[in-house]
Amino acid sequence: MPKTSGGAVKAANAKMTKTAKVVKSTPATKPSQRGQALRTPGVRSVAAVNRRLRQIEDKRSVILAAALGLFSRFGLHGTSVDQVAARADVSKSNLLYYFANKEELYVSVLRELLAVWLEPLRGFSAEQDPREAIGHYIRRKLVISRDQPDASRLFCLEMIQGAPLLRDELGRELRDLVDRKSEVIRAWVAAGKLAPVDPHHLIFALWATTQHYADFGVQVQAITGRTLDDPAFFEETVENVQRIVLQGILSAAKN
């Protein structure tokens, strides 16, 4: 093996020393800079994901609104995916990207309206004054009948047909909620705030009187020449339904 001269060794050592100095003199990336470099792409990614989620939700809402208008008039079997797509101003393939088939779309519409329909009842609590609670409930239900008559009519149509696609939902969410709020009504009765009344029949009566103005809106208009869109008629309806219901269940409690 050939020997290495002393001069060559010295030259090599000098080169290594120079290289080490250069490495040491190179400024290191600050932790904050590294964090910023790592976070910036993430921020963009989160913003993009949120934007995409909003776009999806907006598109779903448009499709559901279009489907509701058609299903409430023609039912499940009388409505086609093509009709819903045309009304929503989307392609059929685009609609099927969000909903696998017509039945899934129909059930999604029913679930949406069931959530809206049940929301006013969730506000009942034993701590409330029943006159205020029930009076407010009547108003809120009539607002839904005025503003979303298609939803009420579709729910009615589904019930008339035996609720083939909504029966499981009725047996769980609806029944559980009614059972809980029936306990509230029983507490009012036990406290002498309401006349003895079966909670189920009271709830059924509230549904019937308030939803009548949506489900049979044509009949109401034919007889009165007015609809709930008329502010004066709306207030007249609220006051009369409140009076009919509350005088029946509160007066006896006072005696």
Side-chain angles (χ1 to χ4, degrees), residues 145-184:
S145 290
R146 179 194 65 193
D147 297 345
Q148 302 183 56
D150 285 349
S152 184
R153 284 193 286 266
L154 178 57
F155 190 84
C156 179
L157 183 61
E158 178 68 9
M159 295 303 101
I160 291 172
Q161 295 175 344
L165 297 178
L166 200 61
R167 186 175 292 276
D168 288 343
E169 300 288 337
L170 298 178
R172 293 195 305 269
E173 184 177 4
L174 177 61
R175 183 169 182 172
D176 289 346
L177 178 61
V178 170
D179 285 347
R180 292 198 305 273
K181 300 311 173 181
S182 292
E183 289 305 313
V184 172

Side-chain angles (χ1 to χ4, degrees), residues 10 70 120 150 156 178-179 184 201 211 213 224 234 237 241 244:
K10 290 181 180 180
L70 291 168
D150 285 349
C156 179
V178 170
D179 285 347
V184 172
H201 294 299
Q211 289 168 227
Y213 293 89
T224 66
F234 176 79
T237 302
V241 174
I244 292 167

Side-chain angles (χ1 to χ4, degrees), residues 121-134 180-194:
L121 188 59
R122 299 185 193 280
F124 275 20
S125 68
E127 295 74 25
Q128 293 175 301
D129 176 74
R131 177 185 292 276
E132 294 180 1
I134 296 172
R180 292 198 305 273
K181 300 311 173 181
S182 292
E183 289 305 313
V184 172
I185 295 172
R186 290 190 183 96
W188 287 336
V189 172
K193 297 178 180 180
L194 285 185

Side-chain angles (χ1 to χ4, degrees), residues 53-67:
L53 290 175
R54 287 195 299 270
Q55 291 172 345
I56 290 174
E57 188 58 34
D58 290 344
K59 185 68 71 175
R60 278 178 56 88
S61 296
V62 169
I63 294 171
L64 288 169

